[in-house]
Amino acid sequence: MIDLYASTTPNVLKIEIMLEETALPYKLVPVNVWKGEQFTEDFLGLNPNAKVPVIVDHDDPEGPCTVFESAAILLYLAEKTELLLPKSGPARYVVIEWLVFQAANLGPMNGQFNHFERYAPGGNEYALSRYTTELKRQYEVMERRLAEVPWLGGDTFSIADIAAFPWVLVQSNRLKESFPFLDRDSTLHPNIGAWLRRCEERPGVQRGLQAHSTLKSGFPDASEDELDRIFGRGRYAYRDSAKR
Ligand SMILES: N[C@@H](CCC(=O)N[C@@H](CS)C(=O)NCC(=O)O)C(=O)O
């Protein structure tokens, strides 16, 4: 059995989809990040970076195995099952390139973009413009890639698609009215739209989405102080800077 420490975030959805695609038995362990459950000593023992997702694989032949960072978890599960990642050669590294493209670009930029679009107080036009522009550029990169091949990693569905799919889906659902380039049906990127539909047709992806829908967001119940803590602002902000 694998324990998946989870909250309502695209990074967790990746792992639910992977576990469903690979038919591994797992249990969701909800972590209310808005209430600060990621900062407990027990959780920090699993992930010193205090973020979900984390898995604990109790069936690893070498003993219980803990893995944090969604890209590392996808690699671990792909190697465990020998699925969704070519075993060797150039094809393996193409998949890893696009996996890291998500982990190093699409994920962090969406995170910053979401922060300034949704959570930050007003007066951050420069930051929002910077992250919007960078995200739009990344969509152009994906569009060019998906005009050449059906899946981000090449000819077959892989962990690279699992990594990118939740972010593209969630951003379209939430923001297509205010940021039309994020709309899955935008004429700016028909190949991203077609790829998204191909992903959604997969039964494993559908089961992952179903599992994800059972989680409840703690955001509506978070206090101002809890919001300050998760965003590192107010009394939690680091102020010892020569530029201030
Ligand atoms: N690079 C990490 C990002 C994980 C991440 O940002 N998780 C968020 C969920 S949205 C979290 O746990 N946030 C809690 C916090 O920042 O304190 C991954 O891909 O796993």
Side-chain angles (χ1 to χ4, degrees):
M1 177 66 76
I2 291 175
D3 292 336
L4 168 57
Y5 291 80
S7 71
T8 56
T9 156
N11 292 315
V12 166
L13 176 55
K14 297 172 192 174
I15 310 307
E16 293 161 322
I17 289 173
M18 182 66 179
L19 289 163
E20 293 291 346
E21 282 278 344
T22 52
L24 286 165
Y26 69 100
K27 183 177 86 193
L28 290 177
V29 183
V31 178
N32 189 338
V33 293
W34 300 101
K35 289 281 170 202
E37 290 177 6
Q38 71 276 38
F39 301 122
T40 64
E41 281 306 311
D42 281 354
F43 191 84
L44 291 172
L46 300 174
N47 181 358
N49 195 31
K51 292 184 195 296
V52 290
V54 179
I55 61 162
V56 181
D57 181 359
H58 297 282
D59 299 329
D60 191 276
E62 293 179 30
C65 181
T66 303
V67 188
F68 65 86
E69 281 294 329
S70 59
I73 298 171
L74 290 174
L75 282 167
Y76 171 84
L77 295 173
E79 290 185 343
K80 177 184 172 81
T81 56
E82 301 190 347
L83 292 170
L84 302 173
L85 174 67
K87 284 200 189 57
S88 62
R92 178 179 177 86
Y93 290 95
V94 173
V95 169
I96 291 176
E97 280 173 348
W98 286 96
L99 176 70
V100 174
F101 166 83
Q102 191 287 321
N105 297 275
L106 196 63
M109 282 305 136
N110 266 306
Q112 295 303 324
F113 169 79
N114 278 356
H115 182 80
F116 289 104
E117 187 278 328
R118 186 175 190 186
Y119 301 113
N124 291 292
E125 288 75 16
Y126 177 86
L128 184 58
S129 165
R130 172 171 160 74
Y131 293 121
T132 307
T133 303
E134 173 58 12
L135 205 49
K136 167 98 170 28
R137 188 193 70 79
Q138 291 177 18
Y139 271 58
E140 286 160 10
V141 172
M142 283 192 293
E143 175 62 13
R144 281 199 299 277
R145 173 69 178 158
L146 291 167
E148 292 165 0
V149 284
W151 303 103
L152 286 171
D155 290 333
T156 52
F157 181 77
S158 74
I159 54 174
D161 301 294
I162 294 180
F165 167 78
W167 280 105
V168 176
L169 178 73
V170 166
Q171 295 298 60
S172 175
N173 287 350
R174 199 171 74 78
L175 289 168
K176 66 181 175 199
E177 310 296 341
S178 31
F179 295 89
F181 81 93
L182 292 172
D183 186 347
R184 56 186 295 159
D185 297 320
S186 166
T187 52
L188 293 171
H189 46 65
N191 289 293
I192 293 180
W195 163 81
L196 203 68
R197 284 190 289 282
R198 281 195 294 281
C199 290
E200 284 174 328
E201 281 163 11
R202 298 182 65 88
V205 171
Q206 292 165 11
R207 288 194 303 273
L209 285 163
Q210 169 57 32
H212 196 64
S213 70
T214 65
L215 294 166
K216 186 173 167 289
S217 172
F219 174 62
D221 300 325
S223 68
E224 263 317 301
D225 188 67
E226 286 163 346
L227 293 179
D228 283 351
R229 179 171 52 177
I230 197 167
F231 295 138
R233 66 190 189 194
R235 70 188 176 104
Y236 300 94
Y238 179 65
R239 298 189 191 283
D240 183 16
S241 160
K243 281 197 86 179
R244 283 169 190 266

